[in-house]
């Protein structure tokens, strides 16, 4: 995240391995998404690059989509406490104040994370950079009412928002 931004020209000159290694961070511990999106190169904009990655997700089988969802950490969860989040997730959670929770807020996140994981079998995902902790808690509570298919779709939509922000940070047009 701290490396100087890449240009689209840089990315368009890379081979598949270099491309996937360089952009693999955009989809939490799942470089297969950008590796497959490489087939749509060359890209004329970050939006086109992101659209190619989302097309990969749309075409991916359900088990791969669920594996991507499950690769994400819980918000304010054990990985955050143990400081084992990816650099991107750590910065994103901090941007929403999730590294500065009161004991009551932390307990609320813990209870909702557990209920959500029990209901859906994967962690709650939201583009935290576009929300604050109050909005995140409200969304966690509200989304517990979704059915499995709706929540998988919403998790993928949120991953799309997260990855777009990450790509916009890393790549200049």
């Amino acid at each position: 995240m701290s490396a100087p931004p890449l240009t689209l020209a840089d990315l368009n000159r890379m081979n598949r391995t270099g491309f996937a290694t360089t952009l693999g961070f955009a989809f939490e511990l799942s470089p297969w998404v950008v590796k497959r999106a490489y087939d749509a190169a060359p890209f004329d904009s970050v939006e086109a690059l992101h659209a190619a990655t989302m097309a990969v997700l749309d075409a991916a089988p359900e088990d791969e989509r669920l594996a991507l969802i499950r690769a994400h950490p819980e918000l304010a969860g054990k990985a955050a406490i143990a400081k084992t989040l990816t650099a991107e997730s750590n910065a994103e959670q901090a941007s929403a104040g999730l590294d500065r929770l009161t004991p009551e807020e932390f307990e609320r996140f813990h209870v909702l994370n557990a209920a959500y994981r029990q209901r859906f079998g994967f962690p709650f995902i939201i583009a935290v950079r576009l929300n604050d902790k109050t909005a995140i808690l409200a969304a966690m509570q509200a989304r517990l009412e979704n059915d499995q298919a709706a929540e998988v779709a919403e998790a993928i939509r949120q991953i799309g928002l997260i990855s777009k922000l990450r790509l916009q940070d890393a790549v200049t047009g």
Side-chain angles (χ1 to χ4, degrees), residues 27 30-34 36-37 51-69 152-153 156 159:
F27 291 85
S30 303
W32 61 267
V33 179
V34 291
R36 291 181 196 168
T53 63
M54 294 309 292
V56 166
L57 285 182
D58 289 345
E62 185 78 4
D63 63 322
E64 288 181 337
R65 292 162 54 99
L66 286 171
L68 170 62
I69 293 169
V152 167
I156 293 295
I159 288 168

Side-chain angles (χ1 to χ4, degrees), residues 4 13 16 27 43 49 52 55 62 66 71 85 97-98 103 106 136 165 172:
R13 285 192 294 271
R16 182 183 306 274
F27 291 85
F43 303 101
L49 168 60
E62 185 78 4
L66 286 171
L85 296 174
L98 301 187
F106 180 79
I136 294 166
L165 290 168
T172 60

Side-chain angles (χ1 to χ4, degrees), residues 94-169:
S95 76
L98 301 187
D99 60 340
R100 299 176 303 280
L101 298 175
T102 66
E104 296 78 19
E105 290 167 335
F106 180 79
E107 179 61 22
R108 188 73 183 131
F109 269 97
H110 179 74
V111 167
L112 287 171
N113 275 330
Y116 187 93
R117 186 174 287 280
Q118 182 175 1
R119 175 150 168 73
F120 298 111
F122 50 80
F124 175 82
I125 300 172
I126 193 167
V128 295
R129 285 170 56 187
L130 302 177
N131 293 279
D132 62 20
K133 60 188 173 184
T134 303
I136 294 166
L137 285 167
M140 288 176 89
Q141 185 68 54
R143 285 171 49 190
L144 277 167
E145 302 302 317
N146 285 348
D147 65 26
Q148 183 78 15
E151 198 51 30
V152 167
E154 182 59 21
I156 293 295
R157 190 180 83 73
Q158 292 294 324
I159 288 168
L161 294 170
I162 294 164
S163 62
K164 186 172 189 176
L165 290 168
R166 289 178 177 184
L167 290 170
Q168 288 171 337
D169 288 346

Side-chain angles (χ1 to χ4, degrees), residues 4-8 10-12 14-38 41 43 45-46 48-50 52-53 88 162-164 166-172:
L6 294 161
T7 66
L8 284 167
D10 294 333
L11 291 173
N12 287 330
M14 291 181 181
N15 65 23
R16 182 183 306 274
T17 301
F19 184 83
T21 300
T22 301
L23 296 179
F25 71 91
F27 291 85
E28 194 80 13
L29 304 174
S30 303
W32 61 267
V33 179
V34 291
K35 188 173 188 176
R36 291 181 196 168
Y38 176 83
F43 303 101
S45 66
V46 175
L49 168 60
H50 184 255
T53 63
E88 294 78 20
I162 294 164
S163 62
K164 186 172 189 176
R166 289 178 177 184
L167 290 170
Q168 288 171 337
D169 288 346
V171 182
T172 60

